[in-house]
Amino acid sequence: MDDKALVMLSGGLDSATCLYWAKRKFSDVSAITFNYFGRLEQEKRAAVRLAKGAGVTELIQIDLPFVKEASDFYNGRLKKQDPDALWSSYVPARNLIFYSIAAHYAEYLGAKRMIGGHNLHDVKFFKDASIDYIEKLNALFKEGCLLCNGRAYKILLPLSEMTRKEIIKLAIKLKVPIEQTWSCHREGSVHCGRCYACKQRLDAFSSLGLKDPAFRRS
């Protein structure tokens, strides 16, 4: 396998697991993170901590102030579900935007793999996280890559067939610093424990008979 990889790093548990998975698979790992409109400061800090702790070659930070989640775009007037539902964090064309920017850097870095953290649950709501969608992106990248010497970069999804419980098990196996990750969808100094992202984490750890280190840290 090629030596260089670029990890999509949000600061959450899934992307952190991908980062440590990539460190096992590749000798040269960089990461990229996106500061879209209203991104939580704790999430930004988590991405920086995780990258530094993993000793990545470079953390590329991209400011995208025009990219907004639905809850921000509609300024509280979102008609779908409740404020903590998945609709609130929906971003039209999110993965098309993020992976296209990542591909730009991957080509210059000579990174043949871009690592995404989409899991089995994501595709149920976020259709642009499906394997089929990602393979279409890979086909487009292959057609447009001029500096790849016939070997285009592509997106890998190591968690695509994994449940949250399986991801937690893998994270523990890879010695991911889970206590440094941030998943909460509310601003604050600690995880709120009430938003859907917190509840999903707590439920998954509880089903394994474990305490979530990120909440113990809080």
Side-chain angles (χ1 to χ4, degrees):
M1 189 174 285
D2 301 291
D3 287 338
K4 292 186 178 181
L6 180 62
V7 177
M8 313 287 277
L9 186 62
S10 70
L13 179 59
D14 295 345
S15 70
T17 303
C18 283
L19 179 63
Y20 277 75
W21 178 87
K23 291 290 291 184
R24 292 279 189 99
K25 299 288 183 180
F26 304 92
S27 62
D28 188 347
V29 175
S30 296
I32 187 167
T33 193
F34 300 98
N35 297 321
Y36 50 85
F37 180 89
R39 186 184 182 195
L40 300 178
E41 289 300 320
Q42 287 283 21
E43 189 176 282
K44 295 178 185 178
R45 295 188 191 109
V48 172
R49 285 196 303 266
L50 289 164
K52 183 177 180 180
V56 302
T57 301
E58 179 182 10
L59 174 61
I60 302 166
Q61 300 192 56
I62 305 297
D63 292 328
L64 299 172
F66 61 90
V67 174
K68 295 184 178 182
E69 293 183 341
S71 56
D72 288 316
F73 185 85
Y74 290 108
N75 195 26
R77 300 188 304 275
L78 188 64
K79 303 299 183 183
K80 300 285 187 179
Q81 306 300 324
D82 61 79
D84 285 332
L86 286 169
W87 277 104
S88 67
S89 60
Y90 171 67
V91 177
R94 179 202 299 259
N95 287 333
L96 181 60
I97 296 169
F98 287 0
Y99 281 115
S100 294
I101 295 172
H104 171 82
Y105 282 92
E107 187 159 349
Y108 283 133
L109 292 171
K112 296 300 183 181
R113 299 292 182 263
M114 294 179 287
I115 315 300
H118 312 305
N119 62 46
L120 190 61
H121 301 283
D122 291 339
V123 70
K124 293 178 181 179
F125 181 83
F126 299 108
K127 303 305 180 183
D128 62 350
S130 70
I131 293 175
D132 182 60
Y133 186 94
I134 296 301
E135 285 304 319
K136 289 174 181 175
L137 285 185
N138 282 334
L140 290 174
F141 291 150
K142 184 177 181 179
E143 288 187 22
C145 186
L146 298 181
L147 302 178
C148 296
N149 298 319
R151 295 166 55 247
Y153 42 80
K154 66 182 299 185
I155 302 164
L156 295 183
L157 305 177
L159 312 182
S160 62
E161 300 296 330
M162 300 180 69
T163 64
R164 290 190 182 86
K165 290 193 292 185
E166 291 171 329
I167 293 168
I168 291 169
K169 291 179 181 178
L170 177 60
I172 293 171
K173 180 180 179 181
L174 294 173
K175 294 181 170 51
V176 175
I178 297 172
E179 71 281 358
Q180 295 182 6
T181 63
W182 184 267
S183 299
C184 186
H185 282 215
R186 295 177 179 175
E187 194 69 84
S189 59
V190 297
H191 283 75
C192 75
R194 298 184 301 277
C195 70
Y196 77 87
C198 282
K199 289 177 180 177
Q200 288 173 344
R201 279 188 66 144
L202 289 169
D203 288 346
F205 274 92
S206 178
S207 67
L208 291 170
L210 301 170
K211 297 287 186 180
D212 189 333
F215 286 81
R216 288 210 300 269
R217 182 171 179 266
S218 301

